[in-house]
Amino acid sequence: MKYFRYRFIDAPEELYDLENDPYELVNLASDPQHEHVLNRLRSRLKSYVLETKDLGYLYESEMVLRAGGKPPYYLRNNKELYDIERLFGAAEKVGKAGPDEIIQLLQQD
């Protein structure tokens, strides 16, 4: 299986059975028969992102501004400057919630 999570498209998730669909033509993400696989991969992605404090949730220019002259890696250890839990929570809502709800999640203190 191959899983994708996107931020700015109509179908924010894609799931393909590479053994039976090597050209990735049939997106299985909305198929109830594959919900268990999708949930397992969502969980693995979330664990990885939170464990590594993946900086990919910020544009590079924003990283530079927040790091204030220090290497962007500095952000990973400063929750005040880079709250990955909040950013990931908002990213999970893309395609499922409206912009106002997502903005509200990002603005919470």
Side-chain angles (χ1 to χ4, degrees):
M1 291 288 187
K2 183 175 181 179
Y3 172 71
F4 285 100
R5 174 82 179 130
Y6 295 105
R7 291 185 277 183
F8 304 111
I9 61 171
D10 293 334
E13 294 179 304
E14 295 182 19
L15 180 69
Y16 298 101
D17 180 347
L18 296 179
E19 188 173 302
N20 296 310
D21 180 18
Y23 299 109
E24 301 173 16
L25 301 174
V26 180
N27 183 0
L28 301 171
S30 62
D31 184 338
Q33 289 183 325
H34 294 89
E35 186 174 3
H36 68 285
V37 174
L38 194 60
N39 288 333
R40 180 174 51 85
L41 293 173
R42 282 180 187 144
S43 178
R44 287 177 60 188
L45 175 63
K46 183 175 184 174
S47 294
Y48 176 80
V49 167
L50 297 180
E51 179 184 317
T52 62
K53 299 176 185 168
D54 187 339
L55 292 173
Y57 288 82
L58 291 178
Y59 290 113
E60 287 184 36
S61 58
E62 183 66 19
M63 282 187 234
V64 170
L65 287 172
R66 289 184 186 205
K70 296 180 180 173
Y73 181 81
Y74 171 76
L75 297 174
R76 293 178 64 193
N77 298 315
N78 189 324
K79 188 172 182 170
E80 190 174 303
L81 294 175
Y82 187 65
D83 187 348
I84 185 58
E85 290 89 359
R86 184 181 346 177
L87 289 171
F88 189 84
E92 285 183 309
K93 296 285 186 180
V94 171
K96 300 173 187 171
D100 292 339
E101 183 179 342
I102 294 169
I103 290 168
Q104 184 178 11
L105 285 169
L106 292 171
Q107 292 176 341
Q108 290 176 351
D109 288 331

